[in-house]
Amino acid sequence: MVKENSVRKVALVTGGARRIGEAVCRALARSGYSIALHYGTSGAAAEQTAGRISKDGGVCATFACDLVDGHATGDLVPAVLEEFGRLDVLVNNASIFEKSSLESGSLESWDRHFAVNFKAPYILMRSFARCAKEGNIINILDTHIVRNKTANAAYLLSKKTLAELTKMAAVEFAPRVRVNAVAPGLILPPVSQKSGYLERLAKQIPLQRRGNVENIAHAVLFLLENDYVTGQVIFEDGGEHLHG
Ligand SMILES: NC(=O)c1ccc[n+]([C@@H]2O[C@H](COP(=O)([O-])OP(=O)(O)OC[C@H]3O[C@@H](n4cnc5c(N)ncnc54)[C@H](OP(=O)(O)O)[C@@H]3O)[C@@H](O)[C@H]2O)c1
């Protein structure tokens, strides 16, 4: 239990145990935020990340929640408020990514994608807007939202929908809450892919190299610091979206 605070700002990051989410948590902690680190199944990694943040002088508490479960997701913001007494930033980073074309995908896979990648962020955004006097929401999208490739149709459409929600929420939640997004490109390969996969793809994009998790964390901090920006998407993708 952390039970301190109301002095430091608090950031809730979903899927914060590993990979991009971990980098965002650690960067926010270095910037002085207390971290509410949400995780699904990666309990051990979540505790490890929380431990690293504490070792660096930061504050971090972990929160387990299956984002497929809308009721449990609705309890997440209240649990963070109970722990820290305030909430200033929400980063919707957690996501699933399964292969499914328009013709071949199972309806169960569509339900899972929309539950985790769209409905859960919406539930959290709504809770955040209801409880926060002011603050920031940042949704993590994907550079492919500007394209219409259907190899990952359910994933892509869930992210396109979240991009639209980002703009609508930026209007409705203003002026108290700014709502922005980061659209990563070639950052980390899916867990199932071998190394070299992203390097091969990177040859085809304008900057001809992959990015890294720190690029995404940097974009999140940029959006938090620039208080005249709302409804914006930063494409952190080496120019890949330009090939749209
Ligand atoms: N990797 C890239 O290069 C890339 C490119 C474009 C866009 N993005 C976007 O950037 C974000 C982070 O990417 P990533 O590759 O780091 O993500 P990831 O490893 O695929 O997933 C992030 C986390 O989402 C959580 N999650 C998934 N289903 C969940 C559920 N039902 N309940 C609770 N948590 C759940 C998992 O938490 P647990 O492990 O705790 O279960 C997982 O660690 C995602 O939104 C992704 O779409 C990434």
Side-chain angles (χ1 to χ4, degrees):
M1 289 280 271
V2 172
K3 282 282 180 224
E4 53 152 279
N5 207 319
S6 89
V7 178
R8 283 178 192 240
K9 288 187 172 180
V10 176
L12 167 60
V13 180
T14 65
R18 303 182 296 114
R19 292 165 57 92
I20 290 174
E22 174 184 359
V24 171
C25 286
R26 295 189 70 182
L28 286 168
R30 284 194 298 273
S31 293
Y33 288 87
S34 292
I35 305 302
L37 187 162
H38 157 268
Y39 66 94
T41 55
S42 298
E47 292 311 323
Q48 236 171 35
T49 300
R52 288 190 186 117
I53 288 171
S54 304
K55 210 170 147 213
D56 293 343
V59 175
C60 181
T62 59
F63 298 82
C65 172
D66 180 359
L67 298 177
V68 170
D69 179 341
H71 291 294
T73 306
D75 292 338
L76 190 51
V77 165
V80 173
L81 287 172
E82 166 80 19
E83 182 72 29
F84 286 105
R86 65 185 286 172
L87 181 58
D88 303 273
V89 171
L90 165 66
V91 182
N92 281 310
N93 166 77
S95 162
I96 59 165
F97 176 81
E98 296 170 359
K99 287 224 166 301
S100 63
S101 73
L102 291 174
E103 204 177 320
S104 72
S106 74
L107 291 180
E108 290 75 18
S109 175
W110 280 80
D111 284 345
R112 272 196 304 281
H113 277 90
F114 272 79
V116 175
N117 298 3
F118 175 70
K119 192 171 169 195
Y122 168 61
I123 291 169
L124 295 172
M125 289 165 73
R126 193 166 71 152
S127 306
F128 183 95
R130 285 176 178 168
C131 79
K133 282 199 204 79
E134 55 182 20
N136 278 275
I137 296 170
I138 298 179
N139 293 324
I140 309 298
L141 307 175
D142 189 302
T143 185
H144 288 101
I145 57 168
V146 296
R147 301 192 187 184
N148 293 299
K149 285 187 174 173
T150 61
N152 307 296
Y155 168 81
L156 186 56
L157 205 57
S158 67
K159 292 287 187 179
K160 282 176 182 262
T161 314
L162 186 57
E164 292 304 316
L165 176 61
T166 301
K167 290 184 276 186
M168 291 171 71
V171 173
E172 184 173 317
F173 299 166
R176 291 183 304 119
V177 177
R178 293 189 295 116
V179 187
N180 290 290
V182 179
L186 299 170
I187 304 296
L188 289 176
V191 180
S192 57
Q193 290 289 349
K194 296 199 177 97
S195 66
Y197 168 75
L198 290 191
E199 281 71 14
R200 279 195 299 281
L201 294 177
K203 291 195 176 114
Q204 295 154 32
I205 69 172
L207 292 189
Q208 296 182 13
R209 56 185 164 85
R210 61 187 277 193
N212 57 54
V213 295
E214 294 306 327
N215 293 131
I216 307 304
H218 192 181
V220 168
L221 294 179
F222 171 86
L223 288 169
L224 295 180
E225 283 161 11
N226 283 270
D227 66 5
Y228 203 49
V229 177
T230 197
Q232 192 63 250
V233 180
I234 295 186
F235 285 85
E236 196 69 34
D237 68 346
E240 187 177 356
H241 67 286
L242 299 169
H243 288 324

Short mmCIF file of all heavy atoms in Angstrom, two decimals, residues 14-21 38-43 65-68 92-97 116-117 140-144 155 159 183-191 198 216, ligand 1:
data_model
loop_
_atom_site.label_atom_id
_atom_site.label_comp_id
_atom_site.label_asym_id
_atom_site.label_seq_id
_atom_site.Cartn_x
_atom_site.Cartn_y
_atom_site.Cartn_z
N THR A 14 -2.31 1.81 -18.26
CA THR A 14 -2.79 0.44 -18.42
C THR A 14 -1.74 -0.38 -19.17
O THR A 14 -1.02 0.14 -20.02
CB THR A 14 -4.14 0.38 -19.16
OG1 THR A 14 -3.97 0.84 -20.51
CG2 THR A 14 -5.20 1.21 -18.46
N GLY A 15 -1.68 -1.67 -18.81
CA GLY A 15 -0.66 -2.54 -19.44
C GLY A 15 0.73 -2.02 -19.17
O GLY A 15 1.59 -2.04 -20.05
N GLY A 16 0.99 -1.59 -17.94
CA GLY A 16 2.25 -0.89 -17.62
C GLY A 16 3.38 -1.80 -17.17
O GLY A 16 4.46 -1.32 -16.85
N ALA A 17 3.16 -3.11 -17.15
CA ALA A 17 4.18 -4.00 -16.59
C ALA A 17 5.39 -4.17 -17.50
O ALA A 17 6.52 -4.30 -17.00
CB ALA A 17 3.56 -5.38 -16.30
N ARG A 18 5.15 -4.19 -18.81
CA ARG A 18 6.22 -4.60 -19.73
C ARG A 18 6.27 -3.66 -20.94
O ARG A 18 5.42 -2.82 -21.12
CB ARG A 18 5.94 -6.02 -20.26
CG ARG A 18 5.80 -7.06 -19.17
CD ARG A 18 5.58 -8.46 -19.74
NE ARG A 18 4.33 -8.59 -20.48
CZ ARG A 18 4.26 -8.82 -21.80
NH1 ARG A 18 5.35 -8.96 -22.50
NH2 ARG A 18 3.10 -8.91 -22.41
N ARG A 19 7.31 -3.82 -21.73
CA ARG A 19 7.41 -3.24 -23.07
C ARG A 19 7.13 -1.72 -23.07
O ARG A 19 7.70 -0.98 -22.29
CB ARG A 19 6.48 -4.02 -24.02
CG ARG A 19 7.00 -5.46 -24.23
CD ARG A 19 5.98 -6.42 -24.85
NE ARG A 19 5.45 -5.99 -26.13
CZ ARG A 19 5.95 -6.30 -27.33
NH1 ARG A 19 7.03 -7.06 -27.39
NH2 ARG A 19 5.39 -5.90 -28.43
N ILE A 20 6.28 -1.22 -23.96
CA ILE A 20 6.05 0.23 -24.06
C ILE A 20 5.44 0.77 -22.77
O ILE A 20 5.83 1.84 -22.28
CB ILE A 20 5.15 0.53 -25.28
CG1 ILE A 20 5.93 0.27 -26.58
CG2 ILE A 20 4.64 1.97 -25.23
CD1 ILE A 20 5.11 0.40 -27.86
N GLY A 21 4.50 0.04 -22.19
CA GLY A 21 3.86 0.50 -20.95
C GLY A 21 4.85 0.70 -19.83
O GLY A 21 4.78 1.69 -19.09
N HIS A 38 -1.32 -0.43 -13.97
CA HIS A 38 -2.31 -1.50 -14.20
C HIS A 38 -1.65 -2.65 -14.96
O HIS A 38 -0.81 -2.44 -15.83
CB HIS A 38 -3.49 -0.96 -15.02
CG HIS A 38 -4.20 -2.07 -15.73
ND1 HIS A 38 -3.88 -2.45 -17.02
CD2 HIS A 38 -5.16 -2.94 -15.31
CE1 HIS A 38 -4.62 -3.49 -17.37
NE2 HIS A 38 -5.42 -3.80 -16.35
N TYR A 39 -2.06 -3.89 -14.62
CA TYR A 39 -1.62 -5.04 -15.39
C TYR A 39 -2.77 -6.05 -15.50
O TYR A 39 -3.74 -5.98 -14.73
CB TYR A 39 -0.38 -5.71 -14.77
CG TYR A 39 -0.64 -6.34 -13.42
CD1 TYR A 39 -0.97 -7.70 -13.32
CD2 TYR A 39 -0.59 -5.59 -12.25
CE1 TYR A 39 -1.22 -8.28 -12.10
CE2 TYR A 39 -0.84 -6.16 -11.02
CZ TYR A 39 -1.16 -7.51 -10.95
OH TYR A 39 -1.42 -8.08 -9.73
N GLY A 40 -2.63 -6.96 -16.47
CA GLY A 40 -3.63 -8.02 -16.63
C GLY A 40 -3.11 -9.32 -16.04
O GLY A 40 -3.47 -9.70 -14.93
N THR A 41 -2.22 -9.97 -16.80
CA THR A 41 -1.69 -11.27 -16.35
C THR A 41 -0.25 -11.19 -15.86
O THR A 41 0.24 -12.14 -15.26
CB THR A 41 -1.74 -12.28 -17.52
OG1 THR A 41 -1.04 -11.72 -18.64
CG2 THR A 41 -3.18 -12.58 -17.93
N SER A 42 0.44 -10.07 -16.13
CA SER A 42 1.88 -10.00 -15.84
C SER A 42 2.15 -9.47 -14.43
O SER A 42 2.81 -8.43 -14.25
CB SER A 42 2.58 -9.10 -16.87
OG SER A 42 2.46 -9.64 -18.16
N GLY A 43 1.66 -10.24 -13.43
CA GLY A 43 1.82 -9.79 -12.03
C GLY A 43 3.27 -9.67 -11.62
O GLY A 43 3.67 -8.69 -10.99
N CYS A 65 -6.35 -6.01 -13.28
CA CYS A 65 -7.73 -5.94 -13.80
C CYS A 65 -7.75 -6.54 -15.20
O CYS A 65 -6.92 -6.19 -16.04
CB CYS A 65 -8.18 -4.48 -13.84
SG CYS A 65 -9.75 -4.23 -14.68
N ASP A 66 -8.71 -7.44 -15.45
CA ASP A 66 -8.91 -7.95 -16.80
C ASP A 66 -9.80 -6.96 -17.55
O ASP A 66 -10.98 -6.80 -17.23
CB ASP A 66 -9.57 -9.33 -16.74
CG ASP A 66 -9.81 -9.90 -18.13
OD1 ASP A 66 -9.48 -9.22 -19.14
OD2 ASP A 66 -10.33 -11.03 -18.22
N LEU A 67 -9.25 -6.31 -18.55
CA LEU A 67 -9.97 -5.23 -19.25
C LEU A 67 -11.09 -5.76 -20.16
O LEU A 67 -11.85 -4.97 -20.70
CB LEU A 67 -8.99 -4.37 -20.06
CG LEU A 67 -7.92 -3.64 -19.23
CD1 LEU A 67 -6.97 -2.89 -20.16
CD2 LEU A 67 -8.53 -2.68 -18.21
N VAL A 68 -11.19 -7.08 -20.30
CA VAL A 68 -12.34 -7.64 -21.01
C VAL A 68 -13.61 -7.47 -20.16
O VAL A 68 -14.71 -7.38 -20.68
CB VAL A 68 -12.10 -9.14 -21.34
CG1 VAL A 68 -13.37 -9.80 -21.85
CG2 VAL A 68 -10.99 -9.29 -22.36
N ASN A 92 -4.01 5.13 -21.80
CA ASN A 92 -4.61 3.89 -22.27
C ASN A 92 -3.64 3.21 -23.24
O ASN A 92 -3.63 3.50 -24.43
CB ASN A 92 -5.95 4.18 -22.96
CG ASN A 92 -7.06 4.40 -21.98
OD1 ASN A 92 -7.25 3.60 -21.06
ND2 ASN A 92 -7.80 5.49 -22.15
N ASN A 93 -2.82 2.32 -22.66
CA ASN A 93 -1.77 1.66 -23.44
C ASN A 93 -2.08 0.19 -23.71
O ASN A 93 -1.70 -0.34 -24.76
CB ASN A 93 -0.45 1.77 -22.65
CG ASN A 93 0.63 0.85 -23.16
OD1 ASN A 93 1.25 1.11 -24.19
ND2 ASN A 93 0.85 -0.26 -22.46
N ALA A 94 -2.78 -0.48 -22.81
CA ALA A 94 -3.02 -1.93 -22.94
C ALA A 94 -3.77 -2.23 -24.24
O ALA A 94 -4.62 -1.45 -24.68
CB ALA A 94 -3.82 -2.44 -21.76
N SER A 95 -3.45 -3.36 -24.82
CA SER A 95 -4.03 -3.66 -26.13
C SER A 95 -3.85 -5.13 -26.44
O SER A 95 -2.91 -5.76 -25.97
CB SER A 95 -3.28 -2.79 -27.15
OG SER A 95 -3.44 -3.25 -28.45
N ILE A 96 -4.76 -5.68 -27.25
CA ILE A 96 -4.50 -7.00 -27.82
C ILE A 96 -4.39 -6.88 -29.34
O ILE A 96 -4.92 -5.94 -29.94
CB ILE A 96 -5.55 -8.06 -27.44
CG1 ILE A 96 -6.94 -7.65 -27.89
CG2 ILE A 96 -5.50 -8.36 -25.96
CD1 ILE A 96 -7.92 -8.79 -27.86
N PHE A 97 -3.72 -7.85 -29.91
CA PHE A 97 -3.38 -7.80 -31.34
C PHE A 97 -3.43 -9.23 -31.86
O PHE A 97 -2.54 -10.02 -31.60
CB PHE A 97 -1.96 -7.22 -31.47
CG PHE A 97 -1.41 -7.17 -32.85
CD1 PHE A 97 -1.76 -6.14 -33.71
CD2 PHE A 97 -0.49 -8.13 -33.29
CE1 PHE A 97 -1.22 -6.09 -35.00
CE2 PHE A 97 0.04 -8.07 -34.57
CZ PHE A 97 -0.32 -7.05 -35.43
N VAL A 116 -11.06 -4.72 -25.12
CA VAL A 116 -9.78 -4.29 -24.53
C VAL A 116 -9.29 -2.98 -25.16
O VAL A 116 -8.84 -2.07 -24.45
CB VAL A 116 -8.70 -5.39 -24.70
CG1 VAL A 116 -7.34 -4.89 -24.19
CG2 VAL A 116 -9.12 -6.66 -23.97
N ASN A 117 -9.39 -2.88 -26.47
CA ASN A 117 -8.74 -1.76 -27.19
C ASN A 117 -9.64 -0.53 -27.32
O ASN A 117 -9.15 0.56 -27.60
CB ASN A 117 -8.32 -2.19 -28.59
CG ASN A 117 -7.31 -3.32 -28.58
OD1 ASN A 117 -6.95 -3.82 -27.53
ND2 ASN A 117 -6.86 -3.71 -29.76
N ILE A 140 -2.96 5.34 -26.64
CA ILE A 140 -1.92 4.81 -27.53
C ILE A 140 -2.60 4.10 -28.70
O ILE A 140 -3.34 3.13 -28.50
CB ILE A 140 -0.95 3.86 -26.78
CG1 ILE A 140 -0.41 4.52 -25.50
CG2 ILE A 140 0.19 3.47 -27.72
CD1 ILE A 140 0.41 5.78 -25.69
N LEU A 141 -2.38 4.62 -29.90
CA LEU A 141 -3.03 4.12 -31.11
C LEU A 141 -2.03 3.27 -31.90
O LEU A 141 -1.28 2.50 -31.35
CB LEU A 141 -3.57 5.29 -31.93
CG LEU A 141 -4.48 6.27 -31.18
CD1 LEU A 141 -4.83 7.46 -32.07
CD2 LEU A 141 -5.74 5.57 -30.71
N ASP A 142 -1.97 3.47 -33.19
CA ASP A 142 -1.07 2.72 -34.07
C ASP A 142 -0.97 3.51 -35.37
O ASP A 142 -1.99 4.01 -35.87
CB ASP A 142 -1.67 1.32 -34.34
CG ASP A 142 -0.70 0.41 -35.05
OD1 ASP A 142 -0.24 0.76 -36.16
OD2 ASP A 142 -0.40 -0.68 -34.52
N THR A 143 0.22 3.62 -35.93
CA THR A 143 0.38 4.38 -37.17
C THR A 143 -0.52 3.87 -38.30
O THR A 143 -0.90 4.62 -39.21
CB THR A 143 1.85 4.38 -37.63
OG1 THR A 143 1.96 5.22 -38.78
CG2 THR A 143 2.34 2.98 -38.01
N HIS A 144 -0.91 2.58 -38.22
CA HIS A 144 -1.73 2.00 -39.30
C HIS A 144 -3.16 2.53 -39.33
O HIS A 144 -3.90 2.20 -40.25
CB HIS A 144 -1.71 0.48 -39.21
CG HIS A 144 -0.39 -0.10 -39.63
ND1 HIS A 144 0.55 -0.51 -38.72
CD2 HIS A 144 0.15 -0.28 -40.85
CE1 HIS A 144 1.62 -0.94 -39.37
NE2 HIS A 144 1.41 -0.80 -40.66
N TYR A 155 -8.20 -5.54 -34.82
CA TYR A 155 -7.25 -4.68 -34.11
C TYR A 155 -7.29 -3.27 -34.71
O TYR A 155 -7.44 -2.27 -33.99
CB TYR A 155 -5.85 -5.26 -34.22
CG TYR A 155 -4.75 -4.32 -33.78
CD1 TYR A 155 -4.44 -4.16 -32.43
CD2 TYR A 155 -4.02 -3.57 -34.71
CE1 TYR A 155 -3.43 -3.29 -32.02
CE2 TYR A 155 -3.02 -2.70 -34.31
CZ TYR A 155 -2.73 -2.55 -32.96
OH TYR A 155 -1.74 -1.68 -32.57
N LYS A 159 -8.56 0.41 -33.10
CA LYS A 159 -7.67 1.57 -32.92
C LYS A 159 -8.20 2.80 -33.69
O LYS A 159 -8.09 3.93 -33.22
CB LYS A 159 -6.25 1.23 -33.39
CG LYS A 159 -5.54 0.21 -32.51
CD LYS A 159 -5.12 0.81 -31.18
CE LYS A 159 -4.27 -0.14 -30.37
NZ LYS A 159 -3.84 0.42 -29.09
N ALA A 183 0.60 7.57 -31.84
CA ALA A 183 0.44 6.44 -32.77
C ALA A 183 1.83 5.88 -33.09
O ALA A 183 2.54 6.42 -33.94
CB ALA A 183 -0.26 6.91 -34.04
N PRO A 184 2.21 4.80 -32.40
CA PRO A 184 3.54 4.23 -32.64
C PRO A 184 3.62 3.51 -33.98
O PRO A 184 2.62 3.01 -34.50
CB PRO A 184 3.72 3.20 -31.51
CG PRO A 184 2.64 3.49 -30.52
CD PRO A 184 1.52 4.10 -31.30
N GLY A 185 4.84 3.44 -34.49
CA GLY A 185 5.11 2.63 -35.68
C GLY A 185 5.92 1.41 -35.29
O GLY A 185 5.51 0.64 -34.42
N LEU A 186 7.10 1.25 -35.92
CA LEU A 186 7.92 0.04 -35.70
C LEU A 186 8.75 0.21 -34.43
O LEU A 186 9.87 0.69 -34.47
CB LEU A 186 8.83 -0.18 -36.91
CG LEU A 186 8.10 -0.40 -38.24
CD1 LEU A 186 9.10 -0.37 -39.40
CD2 LEU A 186 7.33 -1.71 -38.21
N ILE A 187 8.19 -0.19 -33.30
CA ILE A 187 8.87 0.00 -32.01
C ILE A 187 9.37 -1.34 -31.47
O ILE A 187 10.57 -1.54 -31.31
CB ILE A 187 7.92 0.67 -30.99
CG1 ILE A 187 7.38 2.00 -31.55
CG2 ILE A 187 8.65 0.87 -29.66
CD1 ILE A 187 8.42 3.08 -31.80
N LEU A 188 8.46 -2.26 -31.20
CA LEU A 188 8.83 -3.59 -30.69
C LEU A 188 8.09 -4.64 -31.51
O LEU A 188 6.90 -4.47 -31.80
CB LEU A 188 8.39 -3.75 -29.23
CG LEU A 188 9.14 -2.96 -28.15
CD1 LEU A 188 8.49 -3.20 -26.80
CD2 LEU A 188 10.61 -3.35 -28.11
N PRO A 189 8.76 -5.74 -31.87
CA PRO A 189 8.06 -6.78 -32.63
C PRO A 189 7.03 -7.47 -31.73
O PRO A 189 7.22 -7.54 -30.52
CB PRO A 189 9.18 -7.76 -33.01
CG PRO A 189 10.27 -7.51 -32.02
CD PRO A 189 10.16 -6.09 -31.57
N PRO A 190 5.95 -8.01 -32.34
CA PRO A 190 5.06 -8.86 -31.55
C PRO A 190 5.89 -9.98 -30.92
O PRO A 190 6.91 -10.39 -31.49
CB PRO A 190 4.09 -9.43 -32.59
CG PRO A 190 4.18 -8.50 -33.76
CD PRO A 190 5.55 -7.92 -33.73
N VAL A 191 5.47 -10.47 -29.74
CA VAL A 191 6.26 -11.46 -29.00
C VAL A 191 6.57 -12.67 -29.87
O VAL A 191 7.64 -13.28 -29.77
CB VAL A 191 5.49 -11.88 -27.72
CG1 VAL A 191 6.29 -12.90 -26.92
CG2 VAL A 191 5.19 -10.65 -26.86
N LEU A 198 11.52 -6.36 -37.53
CA LEU A 198 11.26 -4.91 -37.65
C LEU A 198 12.31 -4.23 -38.52
O LEU A 198 12.01 -3.28 -39.25
CB LEU A 198 11.23 -4.24 -36.28
CG LEU A 198 10.03 -4.55 -35.38
CD1 LEU A 198 10.02 -3.61 -34.19
CD2 LEU A 198 8.71 -4.45 -36.12
N ILE A 216 8.32 6.64 -27.53
CA ILE A 216 6.90 6.71 -27.17
C ILE A 216 6.74 7.45 -25.84
O ILE A 216 5.87 8.33 -25.69
CB ILE A 216 6.27 5.30 -27.08
CG1 ILE A 216 6.53 4.51 -28.38
CG2 ILE A 216 4.77 5.40 -26.78
CD1 ILE A 216 6.05 5.17 -29.65
N1 LIG B 1 4.89 -2.66 -30.21
C1 LIG B 1 4.81 -1.80 -31.22
O1 LIG B 1 5.76 -1.60 -31.98
C2 LIG B 1 3.53 -1.03 -31.43
C3 LIG B 1 3.24 -0.54 -32.71
C4 LIG B 1 2.05 0.16 -32.90
C5 LIG B 1 1.19 0.37 -31.84
N2 LIG B 1 1.51 -0.12 -30.60
C6 LIG B 1 0.58 0.15 -29.50
O2 LIG B 1 1.33 0.54 -28.35
C7 LIG B 1 0.75 -0.01 -27.16
C8 LIG B 1 1.79 -0.84 -26.42
O3 LIG B 1 2.34 -1.79 -27.31
P1 LIG B 1 3.06 -3.12 -26.75
O4 LIG B 1 3.57 -3.85 -27.94
O5 LIG B 1 3.97 -2.76 -25.64
O6 LIG B 1 1.75 -3.86 -26.17
P2 LIG B 1 1.57 -5.39 -25.78
O7 LIG B 1 2.81 -5.90 -25.18
O8 LIG B 1 1.00 -6.15 -26.95
O9 LIG B 1 0.37 -5.27 -24.72
C9 LIG B 1 0.45 -4.37 -23.62
C10 LIG B 1 -0.27 -4.92 -22.44
O10 LIG B 1 -1.68 -4.98 -22.66
C11 LIG B 1 -2.19 -5.74 -21.60
N3 LIG B 1 -3.45 -6.39 -21.90
C12 LIG B 1 -3.82 -7.08 -23.00
N4 LIG B 1 -5.04 -7.64 -22.81
C13 LIG B 1 -5.43 -7.28 -21.55
C14 LIG B 1 -6.59 -7.58 -20.77
N5 LIG B 1 -7.60 -8.34 -21.21
N6 LIG B 1 -6.64 -7.07 -19.53
C15 LIG B 1 -5.63 -6.33 -19.04
N7 LIG B 1 -4.52 -6.03 -19.73
C16 LIG B 1 -4.43 -6.51 -20.97
C17 LIG B 1 -1.13 -6.81 -21.29
O11 LIG B 1 -0.93 -6.78 -19.88
P3 LIG B 1 -0.43 -8.11 -19.09
O12 LIG B 1 0.86 -8.49 -19.74
O13 LIG B 1 -0.31 -7.65 -17.69
O14 LIG B 1 -1.51 -9.14 -19.29
C18 LIG B 1 0.09 -6.35 -22.08
O15 LIG B 1 1.29 -6.41 -21.35
C19 LIG B 1 -0.47 -0.83 -27.61
O16 LIG B 1 -1.62 -0.03 -27.48
C20 LIG B 1 -0.18 -1.11 -29.08
O17 LIG B 1 -1.36 -1.28 -29.85
C21 LIG B 1 2.65 -0.81 -30.38
#
